[in-house]
Amino acid sequence: MEISQVRYFLAVAKELNFTRAAEQCNVTQPALSRAIKLLEDEFGGALFHRERRFTHLTELGRMVETYLEGVFENSRQAKQIAEQYVYMKKMPLKVGIMSTIAPDEIIELIAAVRAHHPGVELHLCDADAVSLRRRLLEGDIEAAIYALPSNVADEEVHSLPLFQEQMVMAVHLAHRLANQRAVRVKDMSNESYIHRNNCEFAGYADAILAEQGVTVSPVYWSDRDDWTLAMVAAGLGFGFMPEHTAKHPGVVPLPITEPEFWREVNLVTVRGRRHSPAIGALVREATQKKWFGERAKALSAAE
């Protein structure tokens, strides 16, 4: 079965007239009729009742029509995607980045996409993880890089793990805990705390601290991690931060234990949504990149 035969069949099914269908397909009527006959031979039965004024589908024709419509549409889309990929000269891609991710590794990814896929125009925005997930599902962005602490699988999205990092207690050099190699959760009690408004652990960590009877006192609230770090360095309080973000003169990052807090940062797309070649380029570069020395996990064949 050739795709031209499918196109001719669908044209006759629509027009119910071989002459008009041939004109629509820009072929001669004998050529169209031969193609339909070959299709009928392959299917083992007539697809049309050929009556001079009342050509119409047979029962077999009606049965296969929907499937052939699908074959033709899939073929059209496959050709379109291939053309977009081969001739990719200018393809915008909107990507959301969680605002609490340290920029160095993301910049390396952006540079790799630019170097290997110059036709992809990355349009970046930053926000908290919950907002990015909502914007992704609404179609405002096509992909997002974020972390959420929940252990419950999110069935609406597909997440490609990029890297993991431990959460730390960021303190100033003269802090009473600064000389320790790590800090237990219960040792954080009664400390002044600088609340990061975009922290994905907000609420999640509160419940764990409450279970251990730990109380911290928020004294400042900040939307920006660089301001948070500056306040920590000034001795205004401690920060609950990812290890790779807690880099600032005068700040000491202490891994938190009993329990430990880890976040997994993922490249997230909407499950089942058709992706552009630009998304494919981003995924390839993300999987090939070494994130803090380790490669991201490859996508499964099923995805």
Side-chain angles (χ1 to χ4, degrees), residues 85 88 93 109 113 117 120 276-286:
Y85 180 81
M88 189 169 23
L93 176 61
L109 173 62
V113 172
H117 312 275
V120 176
S276 68
I279 289 282
L282 179 66
V283 169
R284 280 191 295 277
E285 295 304 324

Side-chain angles (χ1 to χ4, degrees), residues 5-6 50 74 77 119 133 148 202 210 218 247 254 285:
Q5 296 171 327
V6 175
R50 293 165 172 78
N74 288 336
Q77 291 182 4
R133 181 184 180 278
L148 286 171
K247 296 178 180 179
L254 303 172
E285 295 304 324

Side-chain angles (χ1 to χ4, degrees), residues 228-248:
T228 299
L229 287 166
M231 287 189 280
V232 170
L236 301 181
F238 82 88
F240 181 74
M241 312 190 74
E243 60 178 310
H244 298 111
T245 301
K247 296 178 180 179
H248 189 278

